[in-house]
């Protein structure tokens, strides 16, 4: 996936098609990459994302900050990178991240 930027961007767009059948049912279809490809990518990125993992991104940035502590420009860059990572990964329970719509038939009650 990472080798084909256009495919990656298209996948991130989460495009899907909707087909409405004669009986009123709707079918949603989204083309996704093979499961093995997604599982492989998830296994590779998982350690970076998990805070408890020894090689998490934030811990790696902390290590860089330690080694760059005598270089003001690099220290500032690491601090900015850590702040941006924190802002992007911090839990935001007040923010709505999704919703579900259910429609019932008023005539039948279903």
């Amino acid at each position: 996936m990472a080798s084909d930027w256009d495919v990656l961007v298209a996948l991130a767009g989460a495009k899907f098609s909707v087909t409405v059948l004669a009986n009123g049912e709707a079918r949603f279809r989204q083309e996704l990459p093979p499961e093995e490809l997604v599982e492989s990518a998830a296994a590779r990125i998982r350690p970076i994302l998990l805070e408890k993992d020894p090689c998490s991104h934030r811990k790696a940035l902390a290590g860089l900050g330690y080694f760059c502590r005598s270089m003001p420009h690099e220290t500032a860059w690491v601090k900015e990178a850590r702040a941006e990572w924190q802002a992007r990964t911090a839990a935001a329970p007040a923010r709505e991240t999704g919703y579900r719509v259910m429609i019932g038939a008023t005539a039948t009650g279903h």
Side-chain angles (χ1 to χ4, degrees):
M1 283 190 306
S3 64
D4 190 339
W5 182 255
D6 293 332
V7 170
L8 192 59
V9 169
L11 181 60
K15 293 180 182 178
F16 60 91
S17 63
V18 179
T19 305
V20 180
L21 304 176
N23 64 1
E25 290 181 10
R27 295 205 176 150
F28 294 83
R29 180 173 176 85
Q30 181 179 13
E31 294 294 327
L32 299 171
E35 184 178 354
E36 297 82 16
L37 201 63
V38 174
E39 289 295 327
S40 174
R44 292 169 195 231
I45 195 127
R46 180 182 173 271
I48 295 170
L49 298 176
L50 294 178
E51 290 293 324
K52 294 180 181 178
D53 204 287
C55 67
S56 72
H57 187 62
R58 193 151 78 167
K59 290 177 184 174
L61 287 173
L64 282 174
Y66 175 79
F67 288 112
C68 296
R69 66 188 183 278
S70 63
M71 298 179 269
H73 183 265
E74 284 74 9
T75 300
W77 179 88
V78 170
K79 284 182 181 180
E80 288 174 23
R82 288 183 74 190
E84 185 174 338
W85 182 259
Q86 178 64 28
R88 289 176 181 257
T89 60
R95 186 176 73 194
E96 185 176 315
T97 57
Y99 62 90
R100 180 179 5 180
V101 176
M102 297 178 72
I103 300 171
T106 56
T108 62
H110 297 331

